[in-house]
C-alpha cells in the first residue's frame, strides 16, 4: 500500500510540473460563464486574500516556474491533510 500511495504522489507531482506549460491561457468554462453573467453591481472583492492567487507565488512573479512551485505546494498540502485524516480515522487492527 505504501508503494501505491508514493506512486500516486509522484504522478501528482509530475502532473503539477507539466501543468503550467500545458494549460490554456483562455479562461475555463466556469470563469468564462461568470464573466458573461456577473452583475456589475456586485462586488468581486475577496473576503480573504489568497496566499497563491491564480496558482502563482507572488514573490516569484507570473512565471511558469512560480506556477509549478504553487501547484506542488498545493499537492503536498492536500496530500498531507488527506494522509493525516486517513491515519486518524483508520480502524485499529487487532
Amino acid at each position: 500500500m505504501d508503494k501505491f500511495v508514493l506512486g500516486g504522489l509522484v504522478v501528482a507531482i509530475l502532473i503539477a510540473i507539466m501543468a503550467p506549460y500545458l494549460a490554456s491561457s483562455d479562461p475555463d468554462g466556469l470563469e468564462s460563464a461568470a464573466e458573461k453573467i456577473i452583475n456589475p453591481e456586485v462586488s468581486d472583492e475577496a473576503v480573504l486574500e489568497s496566499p497563491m492567487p491564480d496558482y502563482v507565488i507572488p514573490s516569484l512573479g507570473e512565471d511558469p516556474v512560480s506556477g509549478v512551485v504553487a501547484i506542488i505546494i498545493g499537492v503536498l498540502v492536500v496530500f498531507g491533510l488527506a494522509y493525516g485524516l486517513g491515519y486518524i480515522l483508520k480502524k485499529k487492527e487487532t
Side-chain angles (χ1 to χ4, degrees), residues 12-89:
I13 289 174
L14 288 174
I15 292 171
I17 291 169
M18 295 182 330
Y21 300 101
L22 300 175
S24 172
S25 61
D26 295 329
D28 63 8
L30 179 61
E31 188 174 344
S32 176
E35 288 174 357
K36 291 176 185 171
I37 64 170
I38 195 157
N39 185 347
E41 297 172 7
V42 176
S43 173
D44 63 349
E45 291 185 31
V47 176
L48 296 174
E49 187 68 30
S50 173
M52 293 183 280
D54 292 328
Y55 303 106
V56 295
I57 307 289
S59 61
L60 296 178
E62 297 277 337
D63 188 20
V65 174
S66 176
V68 169
V69 172
I71 295 170
I72 289 175
I73 290 171
V75 165
L76 294 176
V77 167
V78 170
F79 174 78
L81 290 172
Y83 192 82
L85 185 62
Y87 182 80
I88 291 169
L89 296 177

